[in-house]
Amino acid sequence: MPIIKTEALTHIYSMGSPFESVALENVNIEISQGEFVGLIGHTGSGKSTFVQHLNGLLLPTSGRVLLDGTDINSSKKFRHDARFKVGLVFQYPEYQLFEDTVYRDISFGPRNMKLPKPEIDERVHEAAGFVGVPETLFDKSPLELSGGQKRRVAIAGVIAMRPDILVLDEPTAGLDPEGCESILKNISDYRRTTGATVILVSHSMEDIAKIADRLIVFDGGRTVMDACPEKVFSQADKLRSIGLDVPVATDIAARLRELGVSVPECCYTVEQLRNAVLSLKKGAAEC
Amino acid sequence: MKPIIQVKDVHFRYSGEEHLPPVLNGASLEIEEGSFVVILGHNGSGKSTLAKHLNGILIPNEGCVLVDGMDTRDASKLLDIRRTVGMVFQNPDNQMVASVVEDDVAFAPENLGIPPKEIRSRVDEALKLVDMYEYRLHAPHLLSGGQKQRVAIAGVIAMRPRCIVLDEPTAMLDPAGRQEVIGTIKRLCRENGITIVLITHHMNEAVDADKVFVMSNGRVISQGTPKEVFSNVEFLKSEGLTVPDTAELLYKLRLSGIDLPAEALSIEECAQAIAAALK
Amino acid sequence: MLKDITLGQYFPGNSFIHRLDPRTKLLFIIVYITALFVSKSYVTYGILLLVLAVSIAVSKIRLSAIFKGLKPLMFIMIFTAILNLFYTKGGTELFSFWVFTVTTKGVEFAFFMVLRIMMLISGTFLLTYTTTPMALTDGMELLLTPFKKLHVPVHEFSMMMSIALRFIPTLIEEADKITNAQKARGADFETGKLTDRAKALLPLLVPLFVSAFRRADELAIAMESRCYHGGEGRTRMKKLKMAAPDILTLVFSALMLAVIIILARFGI
């Protein structure tokens, strides 16, 4: 059974007003326990609206969201619980920090879950560990931290709820290359250690290419592709036609094939392309 | 060509941060008029602080900044300096003062006391240059990120500056918005001769620059053409920066013993070089 | 919920009212409000209601937009009505219970009070709906220019107004985002005792304030970068000009006020 599933999910903003707009239209997605899914699409494609349905923040205009087989909007209590089972990290999450210490901010979610104190403490330490927030920062005000550290604290605040599904909306936006890389590594490690399902929303193809196992592409409120990265990136023209980039490695590989170098279609990271070129040099092409 | 901006051995510390190392620690650079210059550096390298020195928002503790020969420490020249070097910042929302696009673009010329008729023509011209003329009566908060940032650029162009400094203008944008903005500023440089100083950590935006400066710990540690700078992959990595994927691939292949040039930056050059090496 | 606030919203258009000079509209609304407060009878209220109705019709602003603006103020109106209903003495007693007595006079007063508030607010909304915030603050600045001689910071005041209007939608959007982000961490804004609910607002208000200060900081730097140095020597792209329709409107407003005052003098 999929851990989360949407059935004919449709969302229309400002229904009945002149500003009415269809944000999602008949979206059917199934995600299994432990998957690492990347959601891509340009701004306004519906991906952010979609993820806000997964924890019940938005109500479907029609259709259902099933969490572990139960409609999350079937009861008020279930919708409330869904908030903790599906941890949602918004874009620029550092803007939501509000407590006077880092420790208290990370513990906000667990406290709302009404957990006993020792467990809250354990979770705060664990979550901080996952995202690389050292304990020496616990008593500091979040406002004193650097941009990158704030981002980590905010992500820890969601991880501390130990969600079954962790959803991150553009977690690397605005960070420098080193910051991006280390946050992505933290997320990968978190997933490996806990076995949690991770959904990463991004418009950075390079980031997504590196870590996701499955890509879902949104355009105009619909899912237009749902496949493994190799398959998705091999349709470079289609991606470009809906305003998305393809990883640079895909472009180089395509040009190489035009030049008569038979690198396989499934190369979409620099690492894979390097391996393909090296094996061509040795005489055997593989991916 | 003569430099439009000269930064000479600038040291700077924010007040109240005397216990910390200086943010700028002997930064020096020269920017030629009409060129497209990119300044790279990781967060905290001092690049945004340097940007704020280029139009006299910040004044050096030591050293000096000359804009078209005018010293930013000379308070009487401040307005002339600011109309020569325009600034665009990261967050487009926080640089718009008016609730209608064209009123916002008019803000700078109004401050300069320009006659109404001329403001009107400057505003229309600026909006056309960034391709936002048809949105002139829209409310800024309803525009996309890329559109907002282009309005911000128009707001600067309306001063008729000779140089525009952009401090991470694409950091908050999606790929489409990023392309809109980068395309616009490249055009302003190549077709209108406006000097562009782009501060960024998107390496791919630096590929077409005339000159790249790399900053670290408050000083310029490397400068040259993009090819020169990006050929030094190990050095950039040690500074917490990446290189464009093309340079990265060539670098990795070179490490594995394939004889490849270090300075093929475009996809075309990169593919050609690899194809040639495999022949 | 927050998105329903219509304050400072501008509905683009090209009606007679849209084209009037903002100063004319500001003066007119001041005269109109004065007339409302002088008004005491069905006749005078009727005249003013007619003026409002014609203005709305001419402006082509939809009635629903006006009502939407009134909605958030419902509470104040009901409160005023109740207060007037129970605390007005005189007239015939209709019914009474405990310490409350409702009289015909009370009903009449409550009715006029609510009508007055509704007309006052509708008129003000019509002004903001048909005038860009920039024009509005420019108009205000020009009307207040004589006060500059008394060292009243008129330019600064109008600049503050226009920036506030510019940032209302941005901050509302931001408040929505933060609310959702905190809800995602299990924050509860809707249930609990009043004290709990007030406390529950902290996760929203603290980030909102922090962000507003950050924005103010960045905006100040951006404004300086665009050569802002106060009102001294500033020019305007859109020079406000009084034309024939403005004169006509002002003459009409003076007549309207005169008629209302005369009628009120005769007890009508």
Side-chain angles (χ1 to χ4, degrees):
Chain A
M1 187 175 66
I3 184 161
I4 199 143
K5 180 180 178 187
T6 65
E7 289 178 347
L9 184 63
T10 298
H11 191 90
I12 301 173
Y13 282 113
S14 315
M15 242 252 283
S17 86
F19 303 106
E20 180 174 310
S21 69
V22 180
L24 288 177
E25 201 175 349
N26 191 25
V27 174
N28 297 286
I29 288 175
E30 278 184 26
I31 292 169
S32 314
Q33 167 70 40
E35 266 193 295
F36 197 141
V37 181
L39 295 188
I40 16 182
H42 60 80
T43 311
S45 60
K47 58 192 194 315
S48 293
T49 306
F50 175 76
V51 294
Q52 289 186 51
H53 280 86
L54 301 184
N55 69 348
L57 275 179
L58 287 178
L59 292 178
T61 306
S62 68
R64 298 198 301 165
V65 180
L66 305 177
L67 181 61
D68 281 325
T70 317
D71 184 346
I72 63 165
N73 296 308
S74 55
S75 76
K76 215 174 163 184
K77 185 181 176 309
F78 207 79
R79 190 160 80 228
H80 186 69
D81 291 348
R83 302 260 163 93
F84 303 121
K85 283 189 186 149
V86 182
L88 178 52
V89 180
F90 276 83
Q91 231 180 86
Y92 299 103
E94 56 273 28
Y95 294 155
Q96 77 203 30
L97 301 176
F98 72 99
E99 287 282 11
D100 46 1
T101 67
V102 167
Y103 182 92
R104 283 193 52 86
D105 214 291
I106 299 178
S107 71
F108 181 63
R111 277 185 283 138
N112 286 328
M113 296 168 85
K114 312 262 185 310
L115 296 172
K117 242 194 171 137
E119 182 164 3
I120 293 179
D121 190 61
E122 186 197 320
R123 287 183 174 211
V124 171
H125 282 88
E126 180 196 78
F130 275 125
V131 292
V133 174
E135 287 179 23
T136 48
L137 294 182
F138 278 8
D139 290 329
K140 286 208 166 177
S141 157
L143 297 180
E144 290 171 37
L145 307 182
S146 74
Q149 284 171 327
K150 282 185 200 168
R151 175 87 44 105
R152 288 162 194 280
V153 170
I155 297 176
V158 173
I159 288 182
M161 304 190 305
R162 283 196 190 145
D164 297 331
I165 305 172
L166 179 64
V167 185
L168 303 112
D169 193 352
E170 299 283 353
T172 61
L175 297 179
D176 63 5
E178 204 176 31
C180 284
E181 211 153 293
S182 90
I183 291 239
L184 289 179
K185 188 176 173 306
N186 289 148
I187 295 168
S188 265
D189 289 347
Y190 166 77
R191 184 230 180 184
R192 201 162 337 111
T193 320
T194 60
T197 311
V198 176
I199 301 176
L200 185 69
V201 180
S202 179
H203 40 232
S204 163
M205 297 298 156
E206 265 79 15
D207 286 359
I208 275 208
K210 269 180 230 157
I211 60 173
D213 311 325
R214 171 181 165 196
L215 299 184
I216 300 175
V217 183
F218 275 81
D219 185 45
R222 294 162 170 275
T223 52
V224 289
M225 289 187 219
D226 181 350
C228 62
E230 297 93 80
K231 285 228 176 81
V232 170
F233 290 134
S234 65
Q235 304 182 53
D237 292 338
K238 189 168 177 190
L239 286 171
R240 286 205 188 90
S241 74
I242 55 175
L244 294 170
D245 280 338
V246 289
V248 172
T250 315
D251 276 337
I252 302 173
R255 185 71 189 117
L256 277 174
R257 280 193 295 277
E258 281 169 21
L259 290 169
V261 180
S262 54
V263 287
E265 290 247 354
C266 52
C267 291
Y268 56 89
T269 67
V270 169
E271 199 57 38
Q272 290 166 340
L273 193 53
R274 166 189 169 266
N275 293 340
V277 172
L278 282 181
S279 46
L280 275 176
K281 186 87 181 165
K282 285 184 201 123
E286 46 187 84
C287 195
Chain B
M1 241 195 262
K2 75 177 170 68
I4 183 160
I5 294 177
Q6 291 167 279
V7 177
K8 294 181 177 170
D9 195 27
V10 168
H11 292 254
F12 181 81
R13 223 186 217 119
Y14 288 96
S15 59
E17 290 188 351
E18 282 74 16
H19 56 291
L20 297 171
V23 187
L24 291 181
N25 194 8
S28 297
L29 54 83
E30 288 196 351
I31 291 163
E32 276 178 22
E33 178 137 30
S35 61
F36 175 29
V37 171
V38 170
I39 301 180
L40 295 170
H42 58 79
N43 286 348
S45 61
K47 57 192 194 311
S48 288
T49 305
L50 178 69
K52 292 195 185 97
H53 276 82
L54 302 184
N55 73 342
I57 292 291
L58 296 176
I59 306 295
N61 298 145
E62 277 172 55
C64 68
V65 177
L66 302 180
V67 172
D68 194 26
M70 298 176 281
D71 193 323
T72 58
R73 291 172 298 186
D74 181 353
S76 67
K77 293 272 165 54
L78 215 51
L79 277 188
D80 282 327
I81 289 171
R82 288 187 182 154
R83 69 197 290 177
T84 308
V85 176
M87 279 274 198
V88 174
F89 298 92
Q90 184 181 55
N91 190 333
D93 279 324
N94 297 352
Q95 41 191 325
M96 300 209 177
V97 283
S99 312
V100 175
V101 165
E102 64 174 15
D103 291 343
D104 188 74
V105 177
F107 182 69
E110 287 178 340
N111 290 332
L112 292 168
I114 287 161
K117 263 207 183 119
E118 197 190 329
I119 299 182
R120 180 79 252 177
S121 68
R122 282 188 180 205
V123 167
D124 290 347
E125 180 194 286
L127 282 169
K128 282 175 188 158
L129 270 176
V130 300
D131 221 0
M132 286 296 290
Y133 184 66
E134 58 192 293
Y135 291 92
R136 65 191 179 281
L137 295 177
H138 283 232
H141 72 274
L142 297 175
L143 301 176
S144 75
Q147 290 173 329
K148 282 183 202 171
Q149 209 55 303
R150 283 187 287 153
V151 171
I153 294 172
V156 167
I157 295 175
M159 298 194 291
R160 301 245 167 98
R162 285 159 61 193
C163 175
I164 303 179
V165 178
L166 303 103
D167 188 1
E168 297 192 38
T170 62
M172 302 180 79
L173 307 182
D174 66 359
R178 204 169 282 162
Q179 270 174 14
E180 284 169 29
V181 170
I182 297 298
T184 303
I185 59 177
K186 277 184 189 161
R187 214 175 55 235
L188 289 172
C189 181
R190 302 300 179 214
E191 291 173 19
N192 302 78
I194 300 175
T195 313
I196 297 287
V197 180
L198 174 65
I199 292 167
T200 184
H201 42 232
H202 286 285
M203 301 302 145
N204 297 330
E205 293 171 2
V207 170
D208 293 333
D210 296 317
K211 190 158 188 182
V212 176
F213 293 95
V214 181
M215 283 194 72
S216 180
N217 295 323
R219 59 206 311 170
V220 174
I221 52 162
S222 168
Q223 55 180 294
T225 62
K227 287 184 178 175
E228 288 162 5
V229 171
F230 291 135
S231 60
N232 206 341
V233 177
E234 284 125 69
F235 172 69
L236 287 176
K237 288 204 161 174
S238 70
E239 287 303 327
L241 292 167
T242 53
V243 291
D245 282 349
T246 44
E248 170 96 20
L249 177 65
L250 294 175
Y251 167 69
K252 284 189 166 158
L253 288 171
R254 270 202 313 281
L255 277 188
S256 312
I258 299 186
D259 182 29
L260 283 165
E263 62 273 357
L265 278 185
S266 70
I267 288 168
E268 183 59 34
E269 287 170 320
C270 176
Q272 293 283 3
I274 294 173
L278 287 177
K279 286 260 158 68
Chain C
M1 147 194 89
L2 285 166
K3 285 189 180 125
D4 290 340
I5 296 173
T6 49
L7 180 72
Q9 207 171 16
Y10 167 67
F11 289 85
N14 196 27
S15 70
F16 177 80
I17 297 194
H18 278 89
R19 282 183 316 227
L20 283 177
D21 188 288
R23 284 170 293 182
T24 310
K25 286 187 258 190
L26 277 164
L27 287 172
F28 188 90
I29 199 81
I30 293 168
V31 170
Y32 187 80
I33 291 172
T34 316
L36 263 178
F37 278 93
V38 175
S39 232
K40 285 194 179 65
S41 71
Y42 290 104
V43 179
T44 46
Y45 269 100
I47 295 174
L48 291 175
L49 197 58
L50 187 72
V51 171
L52 181 66
V54 170
S55 309
I56 293 176
V58 169
S59 73
K60 299 207 177 84
I61 297 287
R62 291 206 322 218
L63 219 52
S64 60
I66 304 268
F67 283 127
K68 206 176 159 197
L70 286 173
K71 234 198 227 154
L73 297 154
M74 207 56 110
F75 174 76
I76 298 177
M77 285 192 268
I78 292 170
F79 186 73
T80 319
I82 291 172
L83 225 59
N84 278 285
L85 201 57
F86 292 133
Y87 288 97
T88 313
K89 304 269 175 286
T92 341
E93 190 177 308
L94 289 173
F95 62 88
S96 74
F97 61 93
W98 195 31
V99 294
F100 300 109
T101 321
V102 174
T103 65
T104 44
K105 195 103 188 159
V107 173
E108 201 179 293
F109 249 71
F111 173 71
F112 277 138
M113 234 16 223
V114 171
L115 197 63
R116 182 183 287 171
I117 297 177
M118 275 174 67
M119 288 164 71
L120 191 153
I121 292 165
S122 306
T124 318
F125 271 125
L126 193 61
L127 170 73
T128 60
Y129 285 171
T130 58
T131 319
T132 63
M134 205 63 161
L136 202 59
T137 48
D138 272 4
M140 237 181 257
E141 184 175 349
L142 285 171
L143 280 180
L144 295 173
T145 308
F147 291 97
K148 276 188 186 163
K149 291 218 173 67
L150 304 171
H151 298 287
V152 177
V154 172
H155 165 76
E156 285 74 8
F157 174 71
S158 93
M159 196 63 180
M160 271 158 43
M161 281 284 292
S162 80
I163 289 174
L165 288 170
R166 146 77 187 83
F167 275 90
I168 286 172
T170 307
L171 289 175
I172 288 175
E173 208 175 290
E174 178 145 42
D176 266 352
K177 262 189 216 156
I178 298 172
T179 307
N180 277 340
Q182 306 298 21
K183 275 188 190 167
R185 293 205 282 167
D188 185 355
F189 294 106
E190 278 125 27
T191 54
K193 284 185 304 218
L194 203 61
T195 47
D196 291 339
R197 278 164 75 170
K199 232 172 111 189
L201 280 178
L202 276 183
L204 167 63
L205 293 179
V206 173
L208 203 55
F209 271 102
V210 171
S211 140
F213 280 117
R214 185 177 39 82
R215 285 182 192 280
D217 225 26
E218 288 181 18
L219 184 69
I221 291 177
M223 285 170 68
E224 270 188 52
S225 294
R226 288 163 78 186
C227 298
Y228 181 71
H229 56 283
E232 201 82 6
R234 245 186 141 238
T235 47
R236 289 302 161 86
M237 174 168 74
K238 292 171 184 164
K239 265 225 135 150
L240 297 180
K241 250 194 261 148
M242 292 272 199
D246 294 294
I247 311 286
L248 262 163
T249 309
L250 288 175
V251 170
F252 172 77
S253 71
L255 278 175
M256 177 185 75
L257 184 60
V259 167
I260 301 286
I261 290 177
I262 291 166
L263 286 176
R265 260 291 174 81
F266 286 107
I268 303 169

